[in-house]
Amino acid sequence: MKCCKHRERDGVVLCNECGQALCQECADKFHPPLCSRCASARAREIKGQLVKSISLSVLLMLVGIFVIKSPAGILLAGIPYGWAILNAITPSMFLWLSWVGWIIYFLIKLLLAYFIGLIALPIKLIKWIIELSSINHTLKNI
């Protein structure tokens, strides 16, 4: 079995996506081992997800600014990320609440999600921008 890119070299591993043979040099480029075509497709897919997440955050910021009519409305975009953090730490005992309990629980969780989102949103945005820059660099080098 010969490498899909370097036909003169023997393949040592298979691409995790398409199963094409890769030589040691090609196998060492990406982890898990991917051929250039599959690595490019995966990078474009991840880039699309990142752009979608950043766009959604910006849209929520704009909605917050124009609906709340305050700079604090920008922080509306942090609620989904604060909510996700709360979901990770919420105990299962809340499953047995009455409907009034659920309303109180929801309102408290929404308020907490807002304040946790104050911290989570900037961290997420910085992480996404760094990851987007890394993916753009990877796409240029494929």
Side-chain angles (χ1 to χ4, degrees):
M1 211 173 8
K2 297 295 183 184
C3 177
C4 63
K5 186 174 181 182
H6 306 104
R7 296 288 178 195
E8 69 283 355
R9 299 181 191 167
D10 289 330
V12 295
V13 71
L14 299 177
C15 172
N16 275 13
E17 298 283 326
C18 67
Q20 291 185 8
L22 302 171
C23 66
Q24 191 62 50
E25 180 186 340
C26 292
D28 290 341
K29 283 185 179 178
F30 304 104
H31 183 74
L34 296 171
C35 66
S36 296
R37 186 174 49 87
C38 292
S40 178
R42 183 178 281 185
R44 283 191 305 273
E45 179 183 333
I46 292 170
K47 182 178 179 179
Q49 291 170 352
L50 288 171
V51 168
K52 183 175 149 183
S53 295
I54 292 169
S55 299
L56 178 63
S57 293
V58 169
L59 178 67
L60 285 172
M61 285 179 193
L62 291 174
V63 167
I65 289 171
F66 292 115
V67 171
I68 298 175
K69 300 198 186 307
S70 164
I74 291 174
L75 303 173
L76 182 70
I79 291 175
Y81 310 110
W83 194 275
I85 291 170
L86 289 172
N87 281 345
I89 62 172
T90 303
S92 60
M93 69 180 188
F94 290 113
L95 295 174
W96 307 104
L97 292 174
S98 67
W99 67 273
V100 173
W102 273 109
I103 291 172
I104 293 169
Y105 168 75
F106 175 79
L107 292 173
I108 291 171
K109 189 173 180 180
L110 185 64
L111 184 65
L112 286 172
Y114 178 80
F115 287 110
I116 292 171
L118 294 174
I119 299 166
L121 178 63
I123 292 169
K124 281 281 196 186
L125 286 172
I126 290 168
K127 179 184 166 197
W128 288 336
I129 290 168
I130 291 169
E131 195 172 344
L132 194 58
S133 173
S134 173
I135 287 174
N136 284 334
H137 179 73
T138 300
L139 285 170
K140 286 179 185 176
N141 292 332
I142 292 181

